């Protein structure tokens, strides 16, 4: 709505879960993070650091125990179910495993039609355009196929196309590159960068792989045991880390 | 779908069983059309053994046993298929709701299902039919009410599994309502095990109907295999065909549905569909 404020703003969010032994633990502990229009923010941390839980809270899929999530300046908690459904279209996820994130019983055509922005009138042409914008050309050849008839990389492209279909302002990529092998990872990464240039989409990249953050983030937040321990412009955080945990993450990555 | 048929064809038992049931259905439909003999017609030749005139002999009233058997298919199949269908619809709806929304409704529905599961099904069916009186519709209703919990428990756990897969969250982020997600996304992906189980329930239902009729809990005006067993057992030693033949018919039909159920189960098993 307003170009000035951030698209997504997470303020002092806390979420606790009970583990198998019945003890409470903080999956996310007093975390604040924001993403501005067209910005790429990388949220880095090991598995179990709470970054995926934070992602699901940002998407409105999990309600936080305390704190607020604001999309375009509106608090998700204050919206009615119908308003929440409409609002969350501005923010689309791309998950790690495209095999799980695409309904196996639907054709690509049906998947894209289901995801299409209400303003798209010519659904067929719109779907073909989306497929070609993610590098699946000619798009018409893919419409009648099922996800299991595509390769893993092609499936992840379809997942990206579906996220774009809603014309979101923000794409939340939760380990979206981790499932793919190295060459496909590079292709998808370039695709995401390309999309940002063309559509000015913002990204919240959730990843355990700090080299992804190095490759294209504007800002990096490092998460450990539910807290953000380091946060700043990518260049600063990655060249001059102040927290030991960030240093150990960086040390784990071979220098390119 | 084509893949499924290929897999079914790969299971000879399931294939033969399917052919047998198809034959039964065709015979029930075709025979009354081309051969309009009243199966209740009395020929005067009571308790005649199998012969050229009466291929499978006659009963104590002189009725042709082959005709009676053919007409009995109708009751067995309609009771079996309809009660399994009603039980499946009930079980799918209740199990899907419980598995998807969870919470107190889930607790309540699943306790009810468990209560039904520990009840002695057949005794209860016999008591209910004895109290309400015989009638095909009532038998179907009673069997369906006793069988839905099996479907509901399977459906619930399957829906619970499917709703945690990422595509459900992806569709949720597209702004669809929970009811839409449940009906259009989750349920179609959770139906596989229900199809196989529903087929097994057809066999169970046929057996329950036959047992009720055997105990005399069916209308004497309706020809059924169980009813034939009931009246034939008095002549077991001088007219074996009266009880043995309907017994074989019940045995083969129930066995066929079990084989089809097993074949479907194997064919629909997600572990080896190569996906």
């Amino acid at each position: 709505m307003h170009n000035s404020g951030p698209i997504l703003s997470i303020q002092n969010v806390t979420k606790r879960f009970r583990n198998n032994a019945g003890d409470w633990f903080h999956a996310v502990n007093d975390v604040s993070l924001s993403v501005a229009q067209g910005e790429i923010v990388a949220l880095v941390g090991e598995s179990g650091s709470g970054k995926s839980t934070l992602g699901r809270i940002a998407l409105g899929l999990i309600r936080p125990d305390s704190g607020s999530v604001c999309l375009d300046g509106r608090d998700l908690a204050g919206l009615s179910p119908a308003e929440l459904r409409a609002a969350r279209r501005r923010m689309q996820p791309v998950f790690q495993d495209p095999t799980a994130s695409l309904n196996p019983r639907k054709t690509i055509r049906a998947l894209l039609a289901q995801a299409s922005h209400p303003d798209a009138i010519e659904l067929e042409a719109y779907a073909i355009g989306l497929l070609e914008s993610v590098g699946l050309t000619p798009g018409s050849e893919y419409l009648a196929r099922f996800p299991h008839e595509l390769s893993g990389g092609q499936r992840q492209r379809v997942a990206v196309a579906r996220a774009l279909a809603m014309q979101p302002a923000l794409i939340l990529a939760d380990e979206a590159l981790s499932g793919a092998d190295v060459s496909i990872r590079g292709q998808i990464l370039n695709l995401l960068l390309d999309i940002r240039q063309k559509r000015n989409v913002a990204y919240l990249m959730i990843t355990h792989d700090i080299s992804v953050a190095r490759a294209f983030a504007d800002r990096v937040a490092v998460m450990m045991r539910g807290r953000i321990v380091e946060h700043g412009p990518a260049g600063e955080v990655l060249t001059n880390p102040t927290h030991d945990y960030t240093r150990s993450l960086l040390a784990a990555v071979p220098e390119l | 779908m084509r893949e499924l048929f290929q897999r079914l064809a790969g299971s000879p038992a399931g294939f033969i069983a399917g052919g047998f049931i198809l034959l039964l259905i065709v015979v029930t439909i075709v025979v009354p059309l081309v051969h309009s003999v009243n199966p209740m017609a009395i020929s005067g030749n009571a308790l005649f053994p199998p012969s050229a005139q009466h291929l499978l002999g006659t009963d104590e009233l002189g009725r042709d046993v082959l005709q009676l058997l053919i007409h009995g298919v109708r009751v067995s199949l309609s009771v079996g298929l309809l009660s399994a269908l009603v039980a499946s619809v009930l079980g799918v709806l209740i199990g899907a709701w419980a598995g998807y929304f969870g919470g107190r409704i889930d607790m309540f529905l699943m306790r009810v299902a468990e209560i039904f599961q520990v009840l002695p099904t057949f005794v209860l069916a016999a008591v209910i039919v004895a109290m309400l009186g015989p009638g095909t519709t009532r038998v179907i209703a009673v069997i369906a009410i006793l069988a839905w919990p099996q479907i509901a428990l399977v459906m619930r756990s399957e829906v619970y599994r499917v709703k945690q897969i990422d595509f459900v969250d992806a569709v949720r982020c597209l702004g669809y309502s929970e009811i839409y997600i449940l009906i259009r996304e989750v349920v179609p992906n959770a139906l596989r095990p229900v199809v196989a189980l529903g087929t097994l329930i057809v066999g169970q239902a046929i057996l329950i109907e036959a047992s009720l009729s055997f105990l005399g809990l069916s209308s004497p005006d309706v020809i059924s295999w169980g009813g034939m067993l009931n009246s034939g057992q008095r002549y077991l030693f001088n007219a074996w065909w009266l009880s043995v033949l309907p017994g074989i018919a019940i045995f083969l039909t129930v066995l066929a549905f079990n084989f089809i159920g097993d074949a479907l189960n194997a064919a629909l098993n997600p572990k080896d569909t190569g996906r």
Side-chain angles (χ1 to χ4, degrees), chain B residues 114-185:
Chain B
E114 278 162 14
I115 289 170
F116 270 99
Q117 284 217 311
V118 296
L119 290 174
T121 310
F122 182 69
V123 177
L124 201 64
V127 169
I128 295 173
V129 173
M131 285 196 311
L132 296 178
T136 311
T137 319
R138 278 175 214 160
V139 171
I140 291 171
V142 166
I143 296 174
I145 287 169
L146 293 171
W148 70 264
Q150 297 179 58
I151 302 268
L153 290 174
V154 168
M155 189 66 189
R156 173 185 179 269
S157 64
E158 197 62 12
V159 163
Y160 188 78
R161 180 184 70 81
V162 172
K163 77 169 181 181
Q164 298 177 28
I165 303 177
D166 281 344
F167 72 78
V168 174
D169 272 340
V171 173
R172 194 170 279 139
C173 288
L174 296 171
Y176 288 96
S177 69
E178 294 301 308
I179 289 286
Y180 172 96
I181 294 171
L182 173 60
I183 296 171
R184 302 290 295 276
E185 301 286 321

Side-chain angles (χ1 to χ4, degrees), chain B residues 226-245:
Chain B
M228 290 170 74
L229 271 178
N230 177 34
S231 53
Q233 43 131 356
R234 274 170 279 166
Y235 308 98
L236 187 58
F237 295 106
N238 38 14
W240 58 267
W241 57 92
L242 287 188
S243 34
V244 170
L245 295 177

